[in-house]
Amino acid sequence: MYDGIIITMKKTKLIIITIISALILSACSSTPVAGEIGTEPAVQKPAAGEAPTGSAGYDGSAANVREGDGRTVVGISMPDRLLERWNHDGTFLKEHFEDKGCEVILKYANNLIDTQISDIRSMIDGGADLLVITAVDGAALSSILDKAKSQGIKIIAYDRLLMNSDAVDYYVSYDNYKVGVLQAEYIIAALGLKNSKDSKNIEFVTGDPVDNNARFFYQGAVDTLLPYIENGKLTVPSNQQGFYETSTAQWSTDIAQQRLQIILNSYYPEGVKLDAVLCANDSTALGAARALAADYTGRNNVVVTGQDGDVANIYNILNGSQSMTVYKQLKQESVVTVALGKDIISGNSPSESLIEQSGWDFECNFNTTDYNNGKKVVPSYLLRPIAITADNIQKELFDTGLYVRNSSGLIYAAK
Ligand code: BGC
């Protein structure tokens, strides 16, 4: 009954949107955001006395549903606040959508599937036109996504693919396979594997198996390292090199640390050298650095990879306890998502042309082959990650203003 009312209201809204689409377009298509070119109409701000934008003044309850009033509501569902990046992603997405005149409901799920499902339900009940979702567990949201689709709500999988659902419209991410390739290429160069005569030792600390990205990172790395494992230039003393046996639940720093400590204590007695740890991201790299500091008896500098450019890891790259990170500029991911979201809300089916029209000053590729979620190949916009090392960190991250050091030398990711 309740659902029926919502569906009817939603239909009414869609009809009104169609009739006055030219006017409404300006509700979510105004001030250009960083990285976009061109002048657009002025932002249509909420009228005085109406509910404020953002989750603070808008609890997403049914009482707040305002149908057919020309507003565009975007629900942003993020996995957790523990990892630095999702805090930035949430902030950028919210700001950029609000800059376009959209009303935003932003929620964090504390890494809990049930919380994320109820967050999304409240966004649907709150009149969302578009959902931008980074799943805690990519395969656990099918029913709630079906509900959203049945009400005409558009869905963008943000950074992590939403699995087993034909309700997802688009995927925006970085080239996840390439992330693993960059980590592996760094290891190959740092250990001089191409020309080395002796075998080097490596261990793997991969990501959360319920995150579809984790397998892409792993695959990119393993495909690149496999020739060296096969020709004996790389050895895995623990013999743990499959995806699941090397995975890290919830990308947890503690779990990564504990697993590597067990490996060090079991397979690296004094005299056995560990040359590299392939860590899928920065939270796992932090765990690896702690495990090495606590339990590694060798004196060599172990190569440790990462991904994200979390501030703690930037310090570790500068002090030598982490060798590299794969940097993904989150603002770009948000800019692409907002442009895409805006386009699909207006009833378009964007493709390659979105990239051509946007005139972004960064690389973005439209991909219609690689991201099959089990139900469909999801059209994807993929950005290009870059490798950051002690050698290029100043030029790539500080000179560009992406990170700043304050007068006391403390480092911040710039807003
Ligand atoms: C993201 C990474 C992040 C990891 C842990 C992945 O889906 O692509 O950037 O480090 O999740 O949150």
Side-chain angles (χ1 to χ4, degrees), residues 83 85-86 159-160 211 213 217 251 281 307-308 328:
L83 249 93
R85 70 157 293 178
W86 307 120
D159 202 82
R160 297 176 177 172
D211 176 351
N213 286 355
F217 303 146
W251 297 93
N281 82 333
Q307 168 187 193
D308 286 338
K328 308 189 291 191

Side-chain angles (χ1 to χ4, degrees), residues 1-74:
M1 178 65 180
Y2 180 73
D3 281 356
I5 293 170
I6 297 285
I7 290 167
T8 313
M9 294 168 95
K10 197 87 206 171
K11 276 185 184 157
T12 310
K13 183 180 184 187
L14 284 176
I15 291 164
I16 293 170
I17 283 174
T18 311
I19 294 169
I20 55 169
S21 61
L23 289 173
I24 289 174
L25 268 180
S26 68
C28 201
S29 62
S30 41
T31 320
V33 293
E36 279 192 283
I37 286 173
T39 338
E40 297 177 65
V43 182
Q44 182 184 314
K45 290 286 179 202
E50 289 181 322
T53 57
S55 51
Y58 186 70
D59 66 8
S61 67
N64 266 329
V65 175
R66 290 179 304 272
E67 297 293 335
D69 62 359
R71 289 167 180 277
T72 302
V73 180
V74 179

